[in-house]
Amino acid sequence: MGRLMGYLYECKFKDIYDEDYFISTLENDVRVVNKVPAYIMERFDQNMNNVYNFRIKAWSPIQYYRDAVLPRLLEEKFIRISPFANRLSFDAPPAVQRLRCFANYEALRFSSAILTLGETLVARMKDRSASNGGKYISVHLRFEEDMVAFSCCIYDGGEEEIADMKVARERGWKGKFTKRGRVIRPGAIRINGKCPLTPLEVGLMLRGMGFNRSTYIYLASGKIYNAERNMAPLLEMFPNLQTKEILASNAELAPFKNYSSRMAAIDYTVCVHSEVFVTTQGGNFPHFLMGHRRYLYGGHSKTIKPDKRKLALLLDNPNIGWRSFKRQMLNMRSHSDSKGYELKRPNDSIYMFPCPDCMCRSNKSEVSRSSSATRSAWIKSYYYGCFSYPTF
């Protein structure tokens, strides 16, 4: 039936990614356009709201697309899929996985502006850490005001913090946390390892793991809540800590400053090239970054993903001494380093665990050589909305 046409919807895909490169790289597999052809829109009176919207259950199997989505697409010629994220199971046939891998790891790259600045900051990090062989670690810290507020965790900011968080929760999620009957248990949230780590806690963890004052750290984060107060102990422990705001001039950052996704893309680029990546909270950013680093570095990259339940118990134990805490942290770091090649298990994301689906030599070559004539129609992904990785 020929190639299905993917549509990059008006969500400014090209502001973050290299749109032309994405389209040209996939041209033998999916015909991607950035505007729906007029002759198609004529059938819908030039109104996108008239286009059939397929609401697909999250993680649907490929069989559902064969049996339900494809017939409707053939009938309508043009459909929407919204919401779009996570609509296909991660356990799909090899050909589908290969196309996913090819799109994610080969076709997607950041826009020239983002890539240029990101690589400039990587070079500056390596220059500044020349005394350490140009090696630095990157830390993804989630202690922005909205993150702290959403977590409902309580820290040591007293009444001012409580008031700030109430305002932030009402501003961001009006009524969500004040519904009648809603019970919030900050203590239980912390014990379950769900609280964002503070800059102080991150510093103690890293020092316990053996990183000393001479370590160069790139900190990837948004605006830290009460930064002057909360960042002070981390900077005291690691005076060589750098951020994009420190490494880049105001003029260099100006085109990106009012766009959180573009700023996150710059952080992502610097983190990809670090010797060690430290994740302190879940989310798409660290998950995709871990997968990308595994893909780039042959299946294994140095990543520290702390056991936050265990860490909470240790940090809250008033009787623990530094020697005992350090021993526990060294064991935690050793556990992260010893994982080696982590293979994808059933239902795991190939974007976090690209091995083996995305990392067999034959997989890459087959995808790049393949033509539409050799693939069944249902393999062709229909893109509505921004096909994106990572989602920041």
Side-chain angles (χ1 to χ4, degrees), residues 186-205:
I189 296 171
R190 182 166 175 82
I191 290 172
N192 285 328
K194 301 297 184 183
C195 287
L197 295 180
T198 69
L200 171 61
E201 290 169 340
V202 171
L204 290 171
M205 178 187 76

Side-chain angles (χ1 to χ4, degrees), residues 7 9 44 47-56 69 73 76-84 382-385:
Y7 171 37
Y9 195 54
F44 303 97
N47 187 345
M48 188 66 72
N49 291 328
N50 293 333
V51 178
Y52 181 78
N53 183 30
F54 226 117
R55 299 190 68 84
I56 298 175
V69 180
L73 176 56
E76 297 281 341
K77 309 303 181 187
F78 180 29
I79 62 172
R80 294 188 293 158
I81 296 177
S82 178
F84 182 74
Y382 183 80
Y383 295 106
Y384 174 77

Side-chain angles (χ1 to χ4, degrees), residues 8-23 34-35 108-115 256 262 385-388:
L8 296 179
Y9 195 54
E10 296 174 0
C11 54
K12 304 302 182 183
F13 181 96
K14 65 181 179 181
D15 289 337
I16 300 175
Y17 299 107
D18 187 333
E19 182 178 282
D20 292 338
Y21 183 79
F22 181 76
I23 292 172
N34 53 24
K35 185 178 181 181
L108 271 176
R109 72 181 183 189
F110 289 128
S111 68
S112 176
I114 290 172
L115 206 55
F256 312 99
R262 299 180 209 180
C386 274
F387 177 94
S388 62

Side-chain angles (χ1 to χ4, degrees), residues 17 59 85-86 90 104-105 268 272 277 283-295 349-354 388-392:
Y17 299 107
W59 315 117
N86 306 325
F90 279 120
N104 194 62
Y105 294 114
Y268 185 97
V272 161
F277 172 61
N284 286 333
F285 185 102
H287 290 166
F288 287 125
L289 187 61
M290 284 188 281
H292 197 173
R293 284 167 54 84
R294 285 172 179 138
Y295 179 82
S349 164
I350 61 168
Y351 306 129
M352 188 174 178
F353 298 98
S388 62
Y389 110 99
T391 305
F392 299 102

Side-chain angles (χ1 to χ4, degrees), residues 352-369:
M352 188 174 178
F353 298 98
C355 190
D357 300 63
C358 301
M359 299 184 65
C360 293
R361 204 175 281 269
S362 59
N363 283 358
K364 293 185 195 177
S365 60
E366 280 180 35
V367 170
S368 59
R369 289 197 309 263

